[in-house]
């Protein structure tokens, strides 16, 4: 084989991969390889459940530039910034997400009140974006098959203050057997060979092979067919990968269209930086595949991504029973006593349930999810301890600070922010009971007032993670 374009960059990538990309991209391959080799600038998506993009831009500690296809999306221009370690991250003002991944929620376009399933959701970038676009209404089921990744997903859903999400740890066939035709929209962000992540993930380069591409494609075809079973007639299905290989993209969609003729490709919203799909890159490609979308690292600010938006023919509204309040009297009384003393907004209606000793509010009737592995059946409110109720961190973080009677609202430069996030008790003269610590009006977590001190209730597993651990105050500048 003769010298490849971009050969100076070539040693980082498998030769076979380079040859394939050159065949498809032609003269563009040079710019493509340059982009893959450039330092990665992280994307930051503002959590619109907490703050508007405009308000965040004013207080942002980092220089930002807009993501052209996502009004709440930005690129952090400072390569040295560590936005994942900042207290604004702890209070859920943003999620760090690749700009190309932000296109998923834009293309699927979920509406408030709908029922939406994210079938492969961890760590939660796209799921939390869907919830924000749904204004945290309706039902979002965020599923993740791998237990450890599902735990990270739970932390992210919690941190962003999402209440209408149910987290499951299931395989696609088990969900499809229970939830035939139940959802208005389904997202399949499929496991893939990860070529689009080469710029950031040396592991993806090391483990790349054509065999891996083919194995991924077989798995993707199977997952997509299961996902389709859960879309109601008239509903939509978005297939996504972060890889360039046509075997995992156009070819998977082609096989799907053949197996499910009741689905058709929708020509979605197009941004000038989006490329069309390439039926000519596969054998006998269906011409409709040009309606799929490809995002390239050399044409926009993000990694490589592929999207296919599909619609199921027909129209029907599935029966969706409403969740009913099902709290035993003892739990109800404990929760009400806490709520009256601590919180100004009304208790959520319907859907209050007790699982073991934990109290949740669920947006989906338990009859629909019984028998499945459910990590969180909804908004985690807290724990029943004998006759007392102890609030969960997830309750604090999804409330507005205005909804709590006793709030200690701190500014970013107040040393008590760091002290709180490190787990230290704070001084305070409140009478005994629960109070909220907030950062500029955004809940950080609970304290319990006891004898002139505020006992720190910030979860131990979160104390180890953040900026406050490193005390790197330079991150704030
Ligand atoms: N949507 C996620 C986000 O935006 O943060 C990223 C999802 S990642 C691309 C693909 C996910 O599929 C992984 O979390 C992986 O554990 C999961 N997965 C792997 N094998 C699977 C299978 N057989 N069925 C469903 N999901 C699977």
């Amino acid at each position: 084989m003769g010298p490849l374009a971009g050969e100076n960059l070539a040693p980082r990538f498998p030769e076979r991969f380079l040859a394939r990309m050159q065949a498809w991209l032609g003269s563009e391959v040079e710019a493509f390889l340059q982009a893959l080799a450039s330092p990665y600038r992280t994307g930051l998506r503002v959590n619109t459940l907490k703050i508007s993009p405009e308000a965040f831009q004013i207080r942002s500690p980092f220089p930002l530039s807009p993501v052209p296809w996502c009004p709440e999306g930005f690129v952090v221009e400072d390569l040295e910034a560590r936005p994942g370690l900042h207290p604004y991250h702890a209070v859920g003002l943003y999620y760090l997400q690749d700009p190309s991944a932000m296109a998923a929620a834009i293309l699927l376009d979920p509406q408030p009140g709908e029922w939406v399933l994210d079938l492969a959701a961890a760590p939660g970038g796209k799921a939390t974006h869907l919830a924000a676009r749904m204004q945290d209404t309706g039902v979002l089921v965020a599923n993740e098959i791998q237990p450890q990744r599902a735990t990270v997903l739970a932390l992210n859903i919690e941190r962003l203050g999402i209440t209408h999400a149910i987290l499951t740890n299931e395989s696609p066939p088990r969900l499809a057997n229970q939830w035939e035709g139940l959802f208005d929209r389904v997202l399949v962000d499929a496991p893939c060979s990860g070529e689009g992540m080469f710029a950031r993930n040396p592991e993806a380069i090391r483990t790349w092979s054509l065999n891996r591409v083919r194995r991924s494609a077989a798995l993707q075809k199977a997952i997509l067919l299961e996902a389709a079973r859960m879309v109601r007639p008239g509903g939509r299905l978005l297939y996504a990968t972060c890889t360039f290989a046509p075997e995992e993209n156009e070819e998977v969609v082609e096989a799907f269209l053949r197996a499910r003729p009741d689905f058709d490709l929708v020509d979605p919203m197009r941004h000038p930086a989006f490329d069309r799909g390439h039926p000519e890159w596969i054998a006998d490609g269906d011409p409709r595949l040009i309606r799929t979308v490809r995002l390239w690292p050399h044409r926009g600010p993000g990694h490589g991504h592929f999207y296919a938006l599909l619609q199921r023919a027909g129209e029907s509204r599935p029966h969706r029973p409403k969740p009913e309040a099902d709290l035993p009297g003892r739990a109800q009384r404990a929760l009400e006593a806490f709520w009256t003393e601590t919180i100004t907004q009304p208790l959520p209606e319907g859907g209050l349930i007790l699982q073991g000793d934990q109290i949740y509010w669920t947006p989906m009737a338990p009859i629909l999810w019984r028998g499945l592995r459910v990590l969180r059946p909804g908004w985690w409110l807290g724990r029943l301890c004998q006759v007392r109720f102890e609030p969960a961190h997830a309750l604090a973080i999804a409330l507005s600070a205005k909804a709590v009677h006793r709030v200690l609202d701190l500014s970013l430069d107040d040393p008590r922010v760091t002290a709180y996030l490190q787990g230290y008790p704070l001084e305070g003269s409140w009478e005994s009971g629960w109070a909220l610590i907030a950062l500029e009006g955004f809940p950080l977590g609970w304290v319990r007032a006891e004898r002139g001190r505020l006992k720190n209730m910030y979860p131990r597993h979160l104390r180890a993670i953040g900026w406050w651990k490193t005390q790197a105050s330079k991150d704030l500048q």
Side-chain angles (χ1 to χ4, degrees):
M1 191 167 59
L4 293 167
E7 201 173 32
N8 49 336
L9 304 164
R12 293 190 53 198
F13 305 112
E15 204 174 301
R16 193 90 186 259
F17 166 77
L18 287 172
R20 279 158 57 91
M21 295 314 301
Q22 180 156 41
W24 291 316
L25 287 178
S27 59
E28 257 186 77
V29 80
E30 192 81 47
F32 167 77
L33 293 173
Q34 284 287 355
L36 282 193
S38 317
Y40 178 69
R41 291 174 306 155
T42 183
L44 178 155
R45 179 172 49 73
V46 174
N47 180 15
T48 52
L49 297 175
K50 300 233 172 209
I51 189 168
S52 71
E54 298 75 23
F56 181 76
Q57 270 180 290
I58 292 167
R59 72 176 76 201
S60 174
F62 329 106
L64 300 174
S65 64
V67 171
W69 47 82
C70 179
E72 59 272 37
F74 298 91
V75 174
V76 178
E77 289 297 345
D78 178 1
L79 288 171
E80 302 297 314
R82 303 180 71 192
L85 301 179
H86 195 280
Y88 285 164
H89 186 260
V91 293
L93 294 197
Y94 52 82
Y95 188 102
L96 298 175
Q97 184 181 28
D98 176 64
S100 298
M102 295 174 194
I106 306 285
L107 295 172
L108 189 56
D109 195 24
Q111 299 299 306
E114 286 186 335
W115 283 36
V116 177
L117 165 66
D118 183 345
L119 192 54
K126 295 182 177 96
T128 53
H129 198 187
L130 295 171
R133 288 251 155 185
M134 294 158 73
Q135 297 166 22
D136 200 19
T137 61
V139 172
L140 171 72
V141 176
N143 178 66
E144 169 55 44
I145 196 167
Q146 290 187 16
Q148 278 174 346
R149 289 176 64 86
T151 307
V152 180
L153 171 66
L155 290 177
N156 280 324
I157 297 256
E158 175 178 292
R159 183 174 62 80
L160 269 66
I162 293 162
T163 60
H164 282 55
I166 295 179
L167 268 65
T168 55
N169 170 216
E170 276 295 355
S171 71
R174 274 177 51 87
L175 292 183
N177 288 342
Q178 188 139 333
W179 287 342
E180 196 89 35
L182 188 64
F183 293 95
D184 299 299
R185 300 181 201 241
V186 174
L187 170 64
V188 178
D189 189 18
C192 67
S193 61
E195 294 168 350
M197 308 291 280
F198 274 7
R200 213 174 117 201
N201 184 1
E203 185 62 11
I205 303 178
R206 205 183 55 74
T207 57
W208 187 91
S209 72
L210 213 46
N211 256 344
R212 173 137 195 238
V213 167
R214 291 190 188 118
R215 277 200 313 273
S216 297
L219 179 60
Q220 290 151 355
K221 285 173 189 164
I223 296 175
L224 193 52
L225 284 175
E226 297 299 341
R229 292 172 59 197
M230 291 181 268
V231 179
R232 69 164 173 83
R236 289 189 166 191
L237 171 61
L238 183 69
Y239 173 70
T241 72
C242 59
T243 206
F244 307 110
E247 294 90 334
E248 299 180 62
N249 295 324
E250 285 87 350
E251 219 171 276
V252 170
V253 180
E254 161 107 5
F256 176 78
L257 289 170
R258 260 188 274 115
R260 291 293 304 248
D262 56 330
F263 278 81
D264 198 5
L265 274 166
V266 177
D267 208 354
M269 174 291 264
R270 280 190 187 273
H271 185 273
F274 293 179
D275 186 16
R276 63 171 181 81
H278 289 270
E280 72 280 11
W281 290 356
I282 63 173
D284 299 324
D286 185 323
R288 287 178 292 172
L289 290 168
I290 61 166
R291 296 183 206 151
T292 61
V293 175
R294 278 178 172 271
L295 276 72
W296 295 100
H298 58 293
R299 294 204 193 170
H303 292 315
H305 254 79
F306 173 88
Y307 294 104
L309 183 60
L310 297 143
Q311 175 143 7
R312 185 171 176 187
E315 187 58 49
S316 87
R317 300 273 149 198
H319 173 60
R320 293 165 178 165
K322 286 212 167 9
E324 286 174 12
D326 188 25
L327 268 191
R330 185 168 59 96
Q332 182 78 29
R333 283 190 295 279
L335 177 61
E336 277 174 9
F338 163 84
W339 208 273
T340 314
E341 193 182 299
T342 317
I343 295 177
T344 60
Q345 73 184 38
L347 247 180
E349 282 183 11
L352 291 171
I353 53 166
L354 185 65
Q355 297 259 291
D357 59 355
Q358 305 296 335
I359 299 178
Y360 296 88
W361 174 83
T362 182
M364 193 195 231
I367 191 168
L368 291 173
W369 45 260
R370 285 265 149 79
L372 296 173
R373 272 197 303 273
V374 176
L375 281 186
R376 295 264 195 286
W379 187 13
W380 185 13
L381 302 182
R383 187 161 76 100
L384 183 65
C385 315
Q386 312 280 353
V387 291
R388 276 185 309 105
F389 172 81
E390 200 167 271
H393 183 64
L395 170 60
I397 208 106
L399 287 169
S400 144
K402 290 194 198 91
V404 180
H405 285 301
R406 298 193 297 190
V407 180
L408 179 57
D409 194 10
L410 307 173
S411 60
L412 191 54
D413 56 5
D414 190 319
R416 287 175 293 179
V417 172
T418 314
Y420 179 74
L421 291 170
Q422 287 179 327
Y424 291 107
L426 305 181
E427 298 297 317
S429 54
W430 279 316
E431 282 174 26
S432 60
W434 292 91
L436 189 74
I437 303 298
L439 168 63
E440 298 175 352
F442 302 102
L444 268 173
W446 296 112
V447 286
R448 200 164 68 203
E450 286 172 355
R451 294 182 292 278
R453 302 195 89 189
L454 303 178
K455 187 174 174 199
N456 193 319
M457 305 305 283
Y458 193 63
R460 283 179 195 281
H461 59 271
L462 296 179
R463 292 177 193 174
I465 297 173
W467 149 97
W468 43 97
K469 183 85 176 165
T470 66
Q471 300 223 43
S473 55
K474 62 180 163 43
D475 278 353
L476 292 175
Q477 284 145 25

